[in-house]
Amino acid sequence: MHVSILFLPLAGAIIAGFFGRVLGPRPSEIITTLFVMIAAMLSWIVFYQVGIGHQVVKVPIAPWITSGDFEVSWALRIDTLTAVMLVVVNTVSALVHLYSIGYMAEDEHRPRFFAYLSLFTFAMLALVTSDNLLQMFFGWEGVGLASYLLIGFWYKKPEANAAAIKAFVVNRVGDFGFALGVFALFALTKSIQFDAVFAAAPGLVGKTMDFVGYQVDVPTCVCLLLFMGAMGKSAQFMLHTWLPDAMEGPTPVSALIHAATMVTAGVFMVARLSPVFEYAPHALQFVTLIGAVTAFFAATVGLVQNDIKRVIAYSTCSQLGYMFVACGVGAYTAGIFHLFTHAFFKALLFLGAGSVIHAMHHEQDMRKMGGLAPHIRTTWAMMLIGTLALTGVGIPHLIGFAGFHSKDAIIEAAYAAHTPSNYAFWLLVIAAFMTSFYSWRLMFMTFHGKARWGHGHDAAHGHDAHSPPIPTPSPQGGGEKLHHDHGHDDHAHTPHESPLVMLIPLFVLALGAIAAGAVFTSLFIGTAHSPGGVDPYKVFWGKAIFEGEKNHILHAMHDIPKWVGWAPFIAMASGFVLAWIYYIQVPSLPAATARAFKPLYLFFLNKWYFDELYDRLFVRPAFWIGRMLWKSGDGRIIDGLGPDGIAARVQAVTGRVVKLQTGYLYHYAFAMLIGVALIISWVMFQGGVPK
C-alpha cells in the first residue's frame, strides 16, 4: 500500500507523458486522475492506521548507492508527519487533477499537462516519504523541476518562460545552501540516515568551527544552511520573488504549488529535522524572524494587488510565514497543523479564482469584475467559505473555520514564546488584520458592487472606482487569455458558472475548510485541559516530531492572557469592517487613499521594489559580466588571437600557397626552368662560379 501511494502518480506521469499522443487527451486525463485518486484514498487509510498505531514504519524499496563504506537504500519512512503530508499532497492533487479536466478542456496539450501534474505529485511524495537526506534532496530537486515545467507550460508565452526561469534560478540559490547543509551533516555525523543523524545531533552541541577567523557554532551554521533551502522552496523573505510570478502557469498549477506541494516542502523539512533544529536555538530565532517578517511583508503587498491570483499568491507567502514562526518558537505541530488546514482553504481559493477566471472568459483583473455573485452563486459561496477560513472567522476559545483554529494557535504560540518586544506576536496580528482586509477586498471587488465587465463600463477601458488614478502596471502577460482565444469580445458575454467537474473539487475542499480545524485540533496541538493528564497530540505524533526538554511552548500557549486569544478575532473583524467601508459603502475611498499616500501605495504596489533591487544588484551585473566575457574575453581575446587571428592568417597563407600546387607536369617543368634561369643569372652577375 505504501509503495502504491508513492508510485501510482509516477506511473500516471509515465503513461500520459510517453504515450499521451497515442492514447489521446481523454484517456490521459482519466488514467492520471484515477491513479492519484487511488493514492489519495490509500493515504487516508495510512493516516488512520498511523493515528492508531503511532509507530514508525519503514518500507525498503531497493539499494540505491554503494561506494566503499557508504551505502544508501531507497526506503519509505511512514510516521505521523509523513501520513499528514501524504493526505495533504494526494488529496489536493487528486482534486486538482479532477478540476483540470474541466479547466484545461480547450488546451490541446492536456496529456503533457497531466503528466507534469502527476510528476509534481510523485516528486513531493518522494520528498515526504524519504528516510535519508539524499532521498529528500531527490524529491526537493524533483519538485523544483516539475514547478519549472508547469509554470512554463505555455512555453510560447514569454512571460511564462521568464517566470519559470525565475523560479528555477531563485530556488537554485536556496538549494545551494540546503546542499551545503546536507554535506555538513554527513561530514559531522558520518551518515545521511535520519535516525543516525538524529542520534548524533546532541553530540554537536557546543562544537565550533573556524570561519574567516570567527568561531562559528556548528549546529547553528548547519541549520541556517538547511533553512536557506527552506527560504527558497517556501518563498520566504528575500527569496520570495519567484512565487507571485508563478501565477503565469495555469490556475490548477497555482493551486497545487501553493496548497500542497512545493511551498510546503520547507515547512516539512524543518519539522522533519526538528531533532537537529532543537539544538540550534539561534537558528530557530532566525527562522522566527524571517517567518514574522514574511507574514507582514506579503500581507502589505497583497493589499494593493489587482490580479485575483496574485492576491491569493501573496496570501500564501504570508501564511507560510505563520508556519515558520510556529516552527521557530518550537511549536512544530502547530506549524504542520496550519499547513494541513491551509491546504484545504488555499486550494479552495485558487480553484475558486480559476472558476471566476473561467466565468470571465479568462480575465484576471479584479478591476474588470464586480457584481458577479448573482451569475456564479456556487463559486461565490465556495470563495466565501475559503475567505472565512483564511481570515480565521470563529469564536475565540470555542469554534470556527479551519484557519481560525490553526492560525490563532500560531499567534498564541508566538505570544507565549516572548520574543523581543513580542515582535513576532504583533507582526502576526497586524498581518491577520491585513489578511482580512485584502481577502474581503477580493470578495467585494469580484462579486459585489456594480458590474464592470460589460459594455459601457469604465472598467472595460482599464479604470473604475476601485482603480486609483495612478499609473499601475498591468498583470504580467495579461493573464491566461492568450491561450484561450474564443474569437470574440470577452466582455460582451454574461459570466457563466463552471461545469460540475470543476465544482465537485470545490465542494470537497470547502468541507475541509469548514471542519478540518475543529476535527483535528486536539490531535495536532492538544487542548488546554487534557483528560487524565494525557496530551493527545503527544500520543498522536509519537516520535515523528522532536521537542527538547526545555520546549514547553504548546503548554504555555494554553496559559496566555484572554486578550491574546481575542487579538486575532479583533484584527479579523477590523479588516472586514474596513474593507466593507472602502469597497461597499464608500467606493471612492480607495482612490482617495492611494492619492493621499501615493509613495506608500507605490511602495506596496511595486512589492517593496525587490525585483528592481535584485535587477540592479544581481541581474544587470550578471548580464554585464556575461557580455564582457562574451565580447571582450571570447570575441576579442580568444577569437581574436585564435580563430580570427593566428589561425586565420595561417589559413590565408596556406590557401595561397596551395594554389601553387596545380598537379600539371608542364607547370612544374616551367617552374623548374624559371628556377634554373634565375640560378644561372645570379651566377653570371656574381662573376662566375667561385674557384
Side-chain angles (χ1 to χ4, degrees), residues 25-48:
R26 182 62 69 190
S28 298
E29 295 171 344
I30 294 174
I31 291 172
T32 53
T33 303
L34 181 62
F35 282 8
V36 177
M37 283 186 169
I38 294 172
M41 289 187 290
L42 295 176
S43 298
W44 280 100
I45 294 173
V46 169
F47 179 78
Y48 177 75

Side-chain angles (χ1 to χ4, degrees), residues 260-274:
T261 53
M262 186 167 171
V263 297
T264 63
V267 181
F268 167 81
M269 184 269 289
V270 174
R272 171 61 79 204
L273 298 180
S274 56

Side-chain angles (χ1 to χ4, degrees), residues 81 85 124 127-128 136 139-140 143 171 174-175 178 223 225-236 242 257 260-274 277 284 287 320-321 323-325 327-328 332 335-336 339:
L81 180 58
M85 295 303 297
M124 189 64 188
L127 192 159
V128 301
M136 176 180 280
W140 194 269
V143 293
N171 273 274
D175 292 354
F178 183 70
C223 289
L225 289 172
L226 294 170
F227 182 64
M228 183 176 173
M231 289 175 64
K233 276 289 180 290
S234 297
Q236 292 300 283
W242 67 269
I257 290 177
T261 53
M262 186 167 171
V263 297
T264 63
V267 181
F268 167 81
M269 184 269 289
V270 174
R272 171 61 79 204
L273 298 180
S274 56
F277 276 87
L284 287 177
V287 172
L320 289 166
M323 299 176 204
F324 279 113
V325 168
C327 292
Y332 303 100
I336 298 299
L339 184 156

Side-chain angles (χ1 to χ4, degrees), residues 240-563:
H240 66 276
T241 53
W242 67 269
L243 192 65
D245 291 348
M247 297 303 98
E248 295 298 335
T251 299
V253 174
S254 304
L256 193 58
I257 290 177
H258 286 247
T261 53
M262 186 167 171
V263 297
T264 63
V267 181
F268 167 81
M269 184 269 289
V270 174
R272 171 61 79 204
L273 298 180
S274 56
V276 179
F277 276 87
E278 278 290 274
Y279 294 105
H282 295 298
L284 287 177
Q285 291 172 9
F286 182 75
V287 172
T288 305
L289 174 64
I290 291 295
V293 171
T294 302
F296 175 82
F297 153 76
T300 62
V301 179
L303 293 174
V304 296
Q305 295 299 303
N306 295 310
D307 185 310
I308 187 171
K309 287 173 62 178
R310 285 176 180 265
V311 175
I312 305 173
Y314 278 105
S315 167
T316 299
C317 192
S318 182
Q319 297 305 305
L320 289 166
Y322 278 84
M323 299 176 204
F324 279 113
V325 168
C327 292
V329 300
Y332 303 100
T333 57
I336 298 299
F337 185 31
H338 194 48
L339 184 156
F340 180 78
T341 60
H342 176 265
F344 291 104
F345 60 75
K346 188 50 59 70
L348 176 62
L349 286 170
F350 263 115
L351 297 185
S355 184
V356 172
I357 295 168
H358 183 270
M360 289 296 296
H361 304 285
H362 308 285
E363 176 60 68
Q364 295 180 205
D365 195 335
M366 296 187 300
R367 295 170 296 181
K368 300 179 183 180
M369 298 181 186
L372 290 177
H375 302 280
I376 49 174
R377 286 204 171 275
T378 303
T379 298
W380 168 81
M382 297 299 101
M383 289 287 286
L384 177 62
I385 292 173
T387 301
L388 292 171
L390 171 62
T391 56
V393 173
I395 302 174
H397 311 295
L398 289 176
I399 195 169
F401 287 81
F404 162 79
H405 292 276
S406 57
K407 186 168 72 172
D408 285 21
I410 293 176
I411 294 175
E412 293 167 3
Y415 180 87
H418 298 299
T419 54
S421 301
N422 253 332
Y423 76 87
F425 167 76
W426 289 114
L427 285 178
L428 294 188
V429 170
I430 295 171
F433 163 75
M434 292 188 288
T435 299
S436 180
F437 178 84
Y438 67 65
S439 297
W440 289 110
R441 171 180 178 263
L442 182 152
M443 289 294 295
F444 295 147
M445 286 185 67
T446 303
F447 296 102
H448 301 277
K450 71 173 184 177
R452 301 181 297 277
W453 39 265
H455 284 304
H457 293 281
D458 291 340
H461 303 285
H463 61 277
D464 62 81
H466 299 301
S467 177
I470 296 176
T472 60
S474 61
Q476 294 187 13
E480 301 181 4
K481 290 190 290 184
L482 291 176
H483 305 277
H484 300 83
D485 186 5
H486 296 274
H488 52 66
D489 181 4
D490 289 336
H491 294 287
H493 295 263
T494 302
H496 55 88
E497 189 60 271
S498 299
L500 190 61
V501 71
M502 292 174 60
L503 295 178
I504 290 175
L506 299 183
F507 298 150
V508 178
L509 291 168
L511 182 63
I514 294 171
V519 172
F520 294 103
T521 296
S522 61
L523 292 181
F524 277 85
I525 59 174
T527 57
H529 303 288
S530 302
V534 178
D535 294 319
Y537 82 92
K538 286 190 174 181
V539 176
F540 175 71
W541 288 102
K543 297 181 180 179
I545 290 180
F546 176 76
E547 296 175 352
E549 294 180 358
K550 298 180 180 180
N551 186 347
H552 305 292
I553 190 68
L554 290 181
H555 289 283
M557 62 184 278
H558 294 305
D559 297 325
I560 57 174
K562 286 188 177 181
W563 70 266

